[in-house]
Amino acid sequence: MQAIKQSMLDKLSVEQIKIELMRTAFGRQSVLLSRFDPRILIVWYSFFAVAPWFFHNKTILLGMLVPMAVLTLSSKVSPLVLIIMGIGLVSEIMYILFGSLLFGGSLEAVWPLATLTVKILIISLASIAVFSSMDPEKLSDALLSMGMPAQFSFGVSYGYRMLPILIEEYHNLIHSFRLRGRSPRDKDFLRWRSLVYMGKIAVCAFYPLILNTAKRTRTTVEALEVRGFTYALISPDAKRLKLAYLRVKPLDFVFLGCSALYMIALLALGRIFVL
């Protein structure tokens, strides 16, 4: 029992959570979706992020949910991300149902609420499957290739690159606050004093984090300008050289074709079985 408890604590440590977030943010190169062109993935995701809102037949929605779940599992998504998503969905259902009962509704609201939940779940799983399988640099280059402004594309890539630095900086600030402060020693009910103390530290650490981030951003901007970053944004030759590795392969068309055939078959099935 003690070994199981220690194993659970190791998995819930701050360092382990940080590692899991980094793996999710920076993608995995060995999963199924990482083999496709990032522009094809963005087009595919754009369809599945919008299409669920136009369907109310639960047969179609459940049919769309199945491949999203399979692709999410094949993308080796961190269990931490799935747990956070599950907590969000459950809490959303609970407070909407509670509001319905509070204002004179009944349990009949559960059925239409289930339709909304399935739609949100489809979109969430599609987002996790695609963006956890795509390298930030590929995502930035795909947006640039599709006509997005260079500043916006660079901002997406820069945001991903700053993420581990911000988490590491925030972690160090919390440690410095804990070393210089004194945590409550009284063992009160549910250790609420310790929870309040940690919450206070978490809030106070944001202010030096913002200052340190501003300093790092200024240093980064100066380094980029020295290397000719502004000219590279407006130069057609630099853009063509940067995007030369992007290629739409036959496998990408096979992926889109299979997805289209699946949706056509699902729509035909939805006309037969209406839920």
Side-chain angles (χ1 to χ4, degrees), residues 24-36:
T24 303
F26 284 88
R28 299 174 184 268
Q29 301 301 316
S30 59
V31 298
L32 175 63
L33 292 180
S34 64
R35 303 176 183 178
F36 303 112

Side-chain angles (χ1 to χ4, degrees), residues 194-266:
S194 299
L195 294 177
V196 171
Y197 174 74
M198 292 302 299
K200 183 179 178 181
I201 289 179
V203 173
C204 292
F206 271 104
Y207 297 98
L209 176 66
I210 294 173
L211 178 61
N212 294 342
T213 302
K215 292 180 179 179
R216 291 177 182 273
T217 303
R218 180 178 178 180
T219 303
T220 304
V221 170
E222 292 175 351
L224 289 173
E225 290 299 329
V226 169
R227 298 180 181 181
F229 173 72
T230 302
Y231 173 76
L233 291 179
I234 60 176
S235 173
D237 295 332
K239 180 179 178 180
R240 184 169 56 253
L241 182 63
K242 179 179 177 61
L243 304 178
Y245 74 96
L246 293 177
R247 290 285 187 275
V248 178
K249 302 181 290 293
L251 185 62
D252 299 313
F253 292 108
V254 171
F255 176 66
L256 289 180
C258 291
S259 300
L261 292 176
Y262 180 82
M263 284 303 303
I264 293 173
L266 191 59

Side-chain angles (χ1 to χ4, degrees), residues 16-17 19-25 28 72 75-85 128 132:
Q16 186 64 29
I17 292 175
I19 292 174
E20 294 296 335
L21 290 177
M22 291 302 100
R23 289 176 178 173
T24 303
R28 299 174 184 268
T72 302
S75 299
K76 300 178 182 178
V77 179
S78 168
L80 175 65
V81 177
L82 298 178
I83 291 174
I84 293 175
M85 183 187 67
I128 294 174
S132 65

Side-chain angles (χ1 to χ4, degrees), residues 35-101:
R35 303 176 183 178
F36 303 112
D37 187 88
R39 295 168 294 183
I40 298 296
L41 290 179
I42 291 176
V43 172
W44 181 87
Y45 166 73
S46 300
F47 172 79
F48 283 98
V50 176
W53 300 111
F54 295 95
F55 298 111
H56 302 283
N57 188 339
K58 289 185 177 60
T59 302
I60 298 177
L61 293 176
L62 292 175
M64 296 175 67
L65 180 61
V66 171
M68 295 303 109
V70 172
L71 289 175
T72 302
L73 293 176
S74 68
S75 299
K76 300 178 182 178
V77 179
S78 168
L80 175 65
V81 177
L82 298 178
I83 291 174
I84 293 175
M85 183 187 67
I87 293 175
L89 288 174
V90 171
S91 61
E92 180 184 7
I93 294 173
M94 293 302 294
Y95 84 75
I96 293 178
L97 182 59
F98 177 76
S100 174
L101 295 175

